[in-house]
Amino acid sequence: MVELQGRFARKGGRALGVTASLIGFLVLVEICSGIIQGYYIPLVPDIVKHLGIHDADFNWFEASQLLLTAIVVPIMAKLGDMYGHKRILLIATVFTAIGSWALVAADSFWVFLGAWAIQGFFSVWLPLEIALIFDRGRRTGSAAGDTRRAAGLLVVALELGAILGALGGGRIFEALGGDVPTTLAIPAIAVTLVFFVILFGVRESEPLPEKRTLDLTGFVLLSINIALITGGLSLLRLNGVETWWVWIPIALGIIGFWPFGRYELKQKDPAIDLRLMRQSRMWPVQLTAGLVGISVLGAQVPLSTYAGTPRENGYGLGLPAGQLSLLIGAYLISMIIGAILFPIVSKRATPRIALIASAISVAVGYLLLIPFHLEVWEVVMCMMIAGVGSGALVGALPAAAAAAAPPGRTGIASALTSTSKTIGGSFSSAIFGIVLIGGAATTVTAGASSLAGYMTVWAVCGLSAAVAVVLLLFVPKLSFSDAPEGGAPDDGASEGGAPAEAAPAEAAPEGDTPADAR
């Protein structure tokens, strides 16, 4: 008994060391990521005036960044699997810093557009961090458990950074006397400092001995398809569903995945391992990421506009900007709570059950908005319910994908959840924009959207999360749990068809008894 306790103590100590030694530095990286995502929001009106453009033109900045990140994230993650995740994380940080400093100097629409897009390289930070953590945890036999706990902490850091950025952006702008370029230098300084945090504080992942190749043709085909789909969705949002030609690039992008798939299946080291993607512990996770992106990325602007809609329309909360920021802050805090709770629920139940519970939370939160939306407390309650699930899934999905991937594929697997989420967000942004504009003519106050439009948004978010619940039911019961030799008992069977649970205990190295497989 003493010996057994000693083995578990050694294991727990090593797992804690893995998390503590690496997470401290990566937390700073995610705080910076949150600052980037929150800092510019209160500055949008002043940036528009500074550049001499219209409010609607700012949509092009967001569209360009979504397009670039959807393309570069899987490529950078694959390079991380090949050459080291820290090395590619540093390169991504350099590009992010270049884009951030270019925003400071930008004085025209086109320069700002290019700089904003380049800054989007920060989107690859989280997938690469997940891969780094999983690689470190694999050496102790507790990769899946360590990664879940670490991912939760990273999401907490991300949301705290977003809160700091959103609260600090406007105040710093006022303190600097309304100087836009100087105000925009703050995120650039933060990114620059983060480069040195990574350089000196993060240890490189261990490369695999076999020779890897970059499937350039596969990535070119993938990039073209993603560009056609996300670009077409942006045009759809700007021109409306009745404009027939905007559907052409979307259709071409979808059709293009057929020759892409046939080509990839013939490659020894493909850009996207489709055989891995079609496994039951992987495809539900990737599809869930896209469905979650609908609400996480697409529903925030409708929430803000609904909260600010004057009550004389018969709906809306009529909140001023200051109180609106409190509503958004409550949502972000609920995401932090979800990120903290997810590894706890995973340990007490299973990661699969925790994922399903998180998706249910998102579905319930948005569907409850349909009957409960007239009072501030009702909206806050619903958004906090949805926020708990969203916060859990933001970190849990890339961690789950990494746990389901074999060695050498963790970076690209976790990155694809980001790409799926981006595509889902692009789709929902386009559809929601059209739906909300469509009923504006029936409202009392100018510029307001119809209640039916908002209900449609909430219904789409809730039902998409409900579909994710169904998809996650197809995941094998013990997926994403720690297993001997870093293998996964996920599909209930090994490659040869034998049940994974029947693997002999001797397969695990001494002291590496799986603690999280339940």
Side-chain angles (χ1 to χ4, degrees):
M1 178 63 70
V2 174
E3 181 183 355
L4 183 61
Q5 290 176 341
R7 290 174 62 184
F8 275 100
R10 291 194 299 271
K11 175 182 169 63
R14 290 199 305 271
L16 179 61
V18 168
T19 304
S21 62
L22 183 60
I23 285 299
F25 297 104
L26 297 184
V27 160
L28 297 176
V29 178
E30 282 307 301
I31 289 176
C32 180
S33 176
I35 290 173
I36 292 175
Q37 296 177 57
Y39 188 85
Y40 301 96
I41 295 175
L43 302 176
V44 169
D46 299 289
I47 293 174
V48 167
K49 294 178 183 178
H50 174 68
L51 297 176
I53 60 178
H54 300 289
D55 289 346
D57 292 333
F58 206 90
N59 290 328
W60 286 107
F61 300 149
E62 300 292 344
S64 66
Q65 190 174 97
L66 285 175
L67 176 60
L68 181 133
T69 56
I71 292 172
V72 304
V73 166
I75 297 175
M76 297 290 284
K78 176 74 172 185
L79 291 172
D81 288 337
M82 293 173 59
Y83 300 111
H85 300 104
K86 173 186 174 179
R87 181 178 300 176
I88 303 304
L89 183 60
L90 285 170
I91 294 173
T93 306
V94 169
F95 278 107
T96 305
I98 291 173
S100 300
W101 284 110
L103 289 176
V104 178
D107 57 359
S108 67
F109 171 82
W110 293 108
V111 176
F112 201 94
L113 179 71
W116 191 273
I118 293 172
Q119 190 189 49
F121 271 84
F122 75 85
S123 297
V124 79
W125 286 355
L126 183 59
L128 290 173
E129 291 161 9
I130 294 294
L132 277 166
I133 295 165
F134 198 86
D135 175 81
R136 188 78 64 87
R138 184 181 283 120
R139 304 171 202 173
T140 69
S142 58
D146 284 347
T147 305
R148 279 193 302 275
R149 290 185 287 272
L153 292 175
L154 293 179
V155 173
V156 170
L158 172 66
E159 301 305 334
L160 285 175
I163 293 173
L164 290 174
L167 294 178
R171 288 169 173 77
I172 292 174
F173 178 74
E174 294 175 355
L176 294 175
D179 188 326
V180 172
T182 306
T183 304
L184 297 184
I186 302 301
I189 294 172
V191 176
T192 304
L193 294 175
V194 158
F195 173 86
F196 293 101
V197 169
I198 299 169
L199 181 64
F200 297 112
V202 177
R203 193 164 66 186
E204 184 61 276
S205 55
E206 291 184 357
L208 294 177
E210 69 263 24
K211 184 178 181 181
R212 305 290 301 279
T213 58
L214 184 65
D215 180 13
L216 286 175
T217 302
F219 275 118
V220 168
L221 292 174
L222 177 65
S223 299
I224 291 174
N225 294 333
I226 291 176
L228 287 170
I229 293 173
T230 55
L233 289 171
S234 297
L235 294 173
L236 179 67
R237 179 173 56 181
L238 294 172
N239 296 278
V241 294
E242 68 278 0
T243 307
W244 64 270
W245 55 265
V246 302
W247 295 98
I248 295 177
I250 298 175
L252 290 175
I254 295 173
I255 294 171
F257 278 106
W258 173 254
F260 166 76
R262 290 180 61 87
Y263 175 82
E264 289 296 278
L265 289 173
K266 298 177 183 178
Q267 306 307 306
K268 182 179 179 181
D269 191 6
I272 306 296
D273 190 344
L274 296 182
R275 292 181 177 85
L276 171 64
M277 291 299 125
R278 69 189 183 192
Q279 292 181 7
S280 57
R281 64 182 183 268
M282 182 65 78
W283 65 263
V285 171
Q286 299 295 342
L287 291 180
T288 296
L291 293 169
V292 169
I294 291 176
S295 58
V296 171
L297 298 180
Q300 305 317 305
V301 172
L303 170 64
S304 298
T305 56
Y306 178 83
T309 299
R311 287 184 176 271
E312 51 260 40
N313 289 285
Y315 56 91
L317 303 180
L319 297 180
Q323 295 183 22
L324 177 58
S325 64
L326 295 177
L327 174 62
I328 296 174
Y331 175 72
L332 293 176
I333 290 173
S334 69
M335 292 186 70
I336 292 175
I337 294 172
I340 294 173
L341 287 177
F342 184 85
I344 298 174
V345 176
S346 296
K347 187 173 182 179
R348 293 184 178 273
T350 64
R352 172 180 175 267
I353 291 177
L355 285 171
I356 293 172
S358 300
I360 290 174
S361 177
V362 176
V364 170
Y366 278 104
L367 292 177
L368 281 176
L369 276 171
I370 296 176
F372 301 107
H373 56 262
L374 295 180
E375 301 296 333
V376 174
W377 71 267
E378 294 177 338
V379 175
V380 170
M381 175 192 70
C382 294
M383 291 313 303
M384 290 194 71
I385 293 173
V388 168
S390 298
L393 292 171
V394 166
L397 289 172
R409 299 284 192 276
T410 53
I412 186 66
S414 59
L416 285 176
T417 62
S418 177
T419 299
S420 299
K421 185 172 67 176
T422 298
I423 293 176
S426 298
F427 170 79
S428 60
S429 295
I431 299 302
F432 293 167
I434 294 169
V435 167
L436 294 176
I437 291 174
T442 64
T443 59
V444 175
T445 57
S449 300
S450 68
L451 178 59
Y454 285 113
M455 286 187 171
T456 301
V457 170
W458 301 329
V460 170
C461 291
L463 292 176
S464 62
V467 172
V469 173
V470 176
L471 294 177
L472 291 170
L473 292 174
F474 287 91
V475 175
K477 292 182 179 180
L478 295 181
S479 293
F480 323 125
S481 298
D482 288 317
E485 300 284 356
D490 302 328
D491 286 329
S494 64
E495 291 296 325
E501 290 89 337
E506 289 79 2
E510 183 177 358
D512 285 354
T513 304
D516 291 308
R518 284 175 168 80

